[in-house]
Amino acid sequence: MSNSDARKKPDIRLLFEPKTVAVIGASAQPGKIGYSICRNIKEGGYQGKLYPVNPKGGTIFGEKVFTSVADIPGEIDVASVTVPANLAFEAVKACADKGVKHIQVITSGFAEIGEADLENEMVQYAIDRGCRVLGPNIFGLFSASARFNSTFSAGTIPSGAVGILTQSGALGIAMIGKCALENIGLSAIVSMGNKADIDEADCLEYLIQQDLTKAILLYIEGIKGGDRFLQTLRAATKVKPVVVLKSGRSKRGAMAAASHTGSLAGTDEICDAILRQCGALRAETLQDAFNWCKCLKDAPLPKGERCVIVTNGGGVGVMATDACEKYGVELYDDQKVLAQAFDEATPDFGSTKNPVDITGAAGAKDYDLALAAPAKCPTMDSAIALYCETAVFNADNLVEMVRGTYKTYQAAGKPITYALVGGKTVAQAAEVLKEEQIPVYTEVYDAVSNMGALYTRYRMAQLRDDKIDEARIDLGAIEKTIDAVLADGRSFLLANEGQAVMRAAGVTIPGAKIAKSADECAKAAEAIGFPVVMKVVSRDILHKSDAGGVVLNLKSAGEVREAYERIMNNCRAYKKDAVIDGIEVVEMVKPGVDLIVGARKDGQMGPIIMVGMGGIYVEVMKDVAFRSANLSRGEAQRMLQSIRCYPMLAGARGQKPKDTASVVDHIIKLATIIKRVPRITDIEINPVVVYEQGCKAVDVRILIKK
Ligand code: COA
């Protein structure tokens, strides 16, 4: 048994709330990272004990400097390593031998520059001795609950309610600055670096239960250990909003392109779908990510889909309407109720239609009156208030109007966002209001984007479904088939082997039999039912149709006998010495709606599942949807409904609806296979022909790990 098996991992809480901290490479020289980290720990208000370590000894920030970590008395919860890469392994060894619980390796020069072996060796040494490692290649960690700032950032970090985990160090440091600028306080910020040991899932586990954190922002480039990350993300979004900025757009080549499931979408599209499935909100820009966190951390979620825009300018009203479509905000449309609610606040030349235009003549009192209506009205759930600078509205009253109406909405438990568009006075008013944490923006699209984020979270909560459904499959039979394939030295399954896996999963496949004479063929066809297709079975004839080895649509025993002779003659003429093992008699599948259902083990996301429009045009149409294979029947149904060709299943143009429940069964069956059979990497049925009752899996392709 290795040490790592024998030792329990230290509690991640100690990384964020340490009682004792050592800095290995602590320096008295301003400008050095080992200096900045000591300064930030001391000046950030940390109440625990700091132990600087430097072979030179002396004192740093009034603390005695130890010449070696081994000399420090008592336990150390966190050690920050700030010595150059050639000394870092020795420093990590000393920490691990001392029994330090968490080691933050600030030092760069490991996997990110191709030194992965050195990194693995160093980190494994620590793990084997029961330590956990953050980094290497990080700027450190800040945790508001312990007032513990072990970063080397220049300024102080404002405490607050947003927890940030960032894979990029430079962006992380920039985010600290931006947070101060945007008046966003942090509950924690962690630089994840190379994620050699501690990853986002570990830190999320801490942030989920940490009371200060009201919203979480993740910046990720790649995902390690997809399955665990996604499970933790799902658990996090259940209790707190999580906004994800994921960069690194798709590299198609990164996906094993051996199957459609691999090549039909880039990793990014898969990632997008799965993040949504986990309840995370994916932001495209840093600004959106910050705005959303700020808004989501304390705005009430809407209780329904009916949003009202109140504006004093038609143009911004139209812009906001466009933005509502983009960000998925639905506008309330009951003209009668709108007319009644806004009659008093709207002049004759205005409009009570949504967007409600109280016109450029509106003053603060008119806004108060108009915005009071959605706050009061039980059939209105949220409001977007737009203000365009006008000569009649004294901008000095703007701050008071926004403060007052915002209070009304808070009391009503309804969300409101504001866009204030204009010159210097308006911008200054917006700044004052932003500092008060009121969701005020100077861009119409930003105000709507934030309302859109609230609605996305609202809908995710409505649809939240943490159930994972699995199908009953005969795992033993599947494993036996794979053993035989591997014994034959192959990493792909032949048609009959794929069919055997399908049978073991209870998937209906077309009836088929291999026969060796005209009489046997006729008997097989009668047993299967007419019409049938006949295909030559010969490893010497790869292109069966070219050899005249395939005959379709045979409707009687007579036609079957005649086709047998024809195929045998054709094939002998095509290749005189071909060994013919027999003729396969296959049920001729009736037409229905052709779908593709696939599953694969994704390098980043873990097991994933795909459904889409099938047949020969899959690559052209690219009408597919992806999910993590950990899904419920309900989620599988929603996934199916999200593809463009779904109306063909639902019964478009007077057709009877198709058996979508059976498609859902197939999705769950493939999800179960990909999760439960470790050696299967890709599995794909194309087409699955869907009927009014049931489906048939016509062509199956399965790849395995050699
Ligand atoms: N134990 C403790 N301290 C030691 C030591 C040891 N075994 N060996 C050397 N030191 C001391 C040095 O004497 C020095 O202290 P001094 O200023 O009193 O002389 C201190 O450790 C730092 O060593 P130094 O050689 O001066 O390194 P540095 O400060 O120039 O650089 C790093 C060290 C870690 C900052 C640098 O190697 C690095 O990786 N920089 C990039 C960090 C980064 O960007 N991370 C990612 C951010 S996103």
Side-chain angles (χ1 to χ4, degrees):
M1 199 189 329
S2 77
N3 287 337
S4 58
D5 297 325
R7 287 176 193 242
K8 210 171 152 266
K9 282 182 181 175
D11 186 351
I12 193 81
R13 186 187 291 259
L14 287 175
L15 176 68
F16 290 84
E17 299 168 22
K19 299 252 180 319
T20 48
V21 179
V23 177
I24 323 299
S27 172
Q29 270 190 59
K32 288 219 174 168
I33 284 182
Y35 172 88
S36 303
I37 290 180
C38 288
R39 183 201 57 208
N40 286 346
I41 292 173
K42 283 304 279 185
E43 292 180 357
Y46 174 63
Q47 297 297 305
K49 185 79 187 110
L50 168 68
Y51 297 108
V53 180
N54 187 312
K56 292 177 188 162
T59 57
I60 292 176
F61 292 98
E63 299 290 351
K64 172 189 166 193
V65 175
F66 286 79
T67 52
S68 122
V69 73
D71 297 341
I72 300 173
E75 295 201 332
I76 301 170
D77 294 333
V78 171
S80 180
V81 171
T82 68
V83 294
N86 61 330
L87 301 175
F89 195 171
E90 278 310 311
V92 167
K93 268 187 187 163
C95 290
D97 293 343
K98 162 79 183 160
V100 169
K101 298 192 178 73
H102 294 93
I103 309 173
Q104 300 183 21
V105 184
I106 303 287
T107 315
S108 302
F110 293 95
E112 80 283 5
I113 58 155
E115 295 288 349
D117 289 346
L118 176 62
E119 176 175 302
N120 289 338
E121 211 188 320
M122 175 177 78
V123 173
Q124 198 55 49
Y125 186 94
I127 291 173
D128 287 345
R129 280 147 192 86
C131 306
R132 300 219 62 189
V133 177
L134 179 64
N137 188 30
I138 56 168
F139 66 77
L141 171 150
F142 163 78
S143 159
S145 58
R147 298 171 74 193
F148 175 53
N149 181 0
S150 65
T151 72
F152 56 81
S153 75
T156 51
I157 303 178
S159 293
V162 178
I164 300 181
L165 307 179
T166 171
Q167 195 175 342
S168 159
L171 189 64
I173 293 190
M175 284 200 257
I176 293 175
K178 197 163 163 58
C179 280
L181 196 69
E182 300 269 340
N183 209 21
I184 296 173
L186 297 181
S187 59
I189 181 163
V190 186
S191 171
M192 306 303 310
N194 298 359
K195 297 193 269 193
D197 174 24
I198 293 173
D199 59 16
E200 286 89 358
D202 295 303
C203 295
L204 272 177
E205 272 168 14
Y206 172 78
L207 293 178
I208 287 172
Q209 51 75 49
Q210 199 247 29
D211 290 340
L212 282 180
T213 305
K214 304 285 183 236
I216 299 169
L217 169 56
L218 291 184
Y219 171 80
I220 44 180
E221 283 162 7
I223 293 166
K224 274 187 185 171
D227 233 2
R228 184 171 159 251
F229 168 69
L230 296 176
Q231 271 174 34
T232 321
L233 182 61
R234 214 189 263 248
T237 61
K238 196 169 183 174
V239 286
K240 296 173 189 189
V242 180
V243 176
V244 179
L245 253 176
K246 158 94 174 59
S247 66
R249 291 264 150 193
S250 98
K251 250 198 235 132
R252 245 152 240 242
M255 303 285 288
S259 70
H260 286 126
T261 317
S263 63
L264 270 174
T267 43
D268 197 65
E269 284 161 89
I270 298 171
C271 178
D272 204 58
I274 294 177
L275 288 175
R276 220 174 312 124
Q277 184 186 353
C278 291
L281 288 93
R282 186 169 181 190
E284 260 181 78
T285 64
L286 198 57
Q287 191 60 55
D288 263 350
F290 273 86
N291 287 347
W292 293 359
C293 283
K294 203 171 165 184
C295 190
L296 284 159
K297 76 178 166 38
D298 39 31
L301 287 185
K303 295 183 183 67
E305 296 281 357
R306 297 156 301 191
C307 181
V308 179
I309 300 170
V310 173
T311 179
N312 68 343
V316 285
V318 177
M319 271 173 79
T321 308
D322 288 349
C324 282
E325 211 168 289
K326 174 172 172 172
Y327 294 110
V329 177
E330 290 188 21
L331 294 178
Y332 183 50
D333 236 0
D334 189 327
Q335 297 308 328
K336 238 169 101 187
V337 179
L338 285 164
Q340 259 173 14
F342 293 101
D343 182 47
E344 209 185 331
T346 314
D348 293 345
F349 50 93
S351 167
T352 57
K353 288 197 180 116
N354 198 1
V356 176
D357 187 354
I358 56 174
T359 80
K365 290 246 160 344
D366 302 301
Y367 267 101
D368 288 342
L369 196 59
L371 287 173
K376 264 198 306 234
C377 182
T379 58
M380 299 179 200
D381 304 300
S382 59
I384 298 168
L386 309 175
Y387 166 78
C388 264
E389 192 168 16
T390 61
V392 293
F393 192 127
N394 181 352
D396 295 339
N397 295 335
L398 192 55
V399 170
E400 281 313 311
M401 181 279 280
V402 173
R403 268 188 199 136
T405 50
Y406 182 62
K407 232 180 177 174
T408 309
Y409 277 76
Q410 277 191 309
K414 294 184 184 184
I416 182 167
T417 59
Y418 300 82
L420 311 182
V421 185
K424 201 171 162 192
T425 333
V426 176
Q428 280 166 349
E431 279 315 305
V432 170
L433 293 159
K434 272 187 198 173
E435 280 196 22
E436 294 171 23
Q437 304 290 322
I438 299 176
V440 166
Y441 310 91
T442 49
E443 282 283 348
V444 172
Y445 268 63
D446 285 343
V448 182
S449 158
N450 280 278
M451 187 56 79
L454 292 170
Y455 268 108
T456 307
R457 179 128 175 97
Y458 159 74
R459 280 179 214 124
M460 281 171 168
Q462 303 289 304
L463 293 174
R464 186 151 191 118
D465 180 359
D466 291 323
K467 213 170 136 224
I468 296 172
D469 283 315
E470 290 212 348
R472 261 202 225 153
I473 56 173
D474 184 347
L475 283 172
I478 297 176
E479 295 289 358
K480 225 164 116 186
T481 305
I482 296 172
D483 288 341
V485 177
L486 285 173
D488 200 30
R490 279 179 284 122
S491 58
F492 60 92
L493 273 65
L494 297 173
N496 59 323
E497 294 159 341
Q499 286 160 3
V501 172
M502 290 297 99
R503 272 193 294 272
V507 171
T508 313
I509 51 175
K513 245 180 180 160
I514 294 176
K516 291 192 186 283
S517 69
D519 277 348
E520 266 184 49
C521 284
K523 247 193 218 154
E526 265 156 8
I528 289 164
F530 294 102
V532 293
V533 177
M534 288 169 65
K535 300 178 197 171
V536 67
V537 181
S538 167
R539 60 191 65 210
D540 297 324
I541 300 173
L542 285 182
H543 302 288
K544 297 185 186 81
S545 297
D546 294 354
V550 181
V551 185
L552 304 173
N553 203 16
L554 300 162
K555 297 192 185 88
S556 67
E559 284 184 20
V560 166
R561 282 199 184 85
E562 192 273 326
Y564 176 84
E565 299 304 338
R566 208 175 347 142
I567 289 174
M568 293 306 273
N569 290 338
N570 285 348
C571 291
R572 277 184 199 124
Y574 181 77
K575 203 170 187 190
K576 227 167 88 192
D577 52 353
V579 178
I580 295 172
D581 299 313
I583 304 284
E584 191 183 18
V585 183
V586 192
E587 172 190 343
M588 183 137 160
V589 174
K590 289 185 209 68
V593 175
D594 286 358
L595 292 187
I596 178 171
V597 182
R600 71 186 305 266
K601 289 189 174 77
D602 183 79
Q604 292 202 25
M605 292 300 196
I608 60 166
I609 188 96
M610 175 191 81
V611 70
M613 187 178 173
I616 54 172
Y617 295 114
V618 272
E619 305 276 8
V620 182
M621 301 308 291
K622 286 201 161 62
D623 181 16
V624 286
F626 292 88
R627 294 288 187 278
S628 155
N630 291 311
L631 80 174
S632 66
R633 289 185 62 88
E635 187 65 37
Q637 177 70 35
R638 282 189 287 281
M639 174 188 182
L640 187 59
Q641 282 167 348
S642 75
I643 57 177
R644 290 196 307 278
C645 75
Y646 182 75
M648 286 163 65
L649 293 167
R653 302 190 70 94
Q655 298 268 328
K656 287 213 173 113
K658 303 291 179 285
D659 192 346
T660 51
S662 171
V663 180
V664 168
D665 282 343
H666 282 68
I667 295 172
I668 298 295
K669 280 173 182 167
L670 260 56
T672 309
I673 296 175
I674 205 72
K675 286 187 291 181
R676 297 277 162 233
V677 185
R679 291 181 293 179
I680 292 185
T681 59
D682 294 72
I683 174 162
E684 185 173 283
I685 319 175
N686 183 25
V688 178
V689 187
V690 191
Y691 302 107
E692 283 155 31
Q693 276 198 336
C695 296
K696 227 158 233 183
V698 176
D699 205 356
V700 184
R701 295 207 297 163
I702 298 176
L703 302 180
I704 53 176
K705 241 191 268 174
K706 254 196 161 177

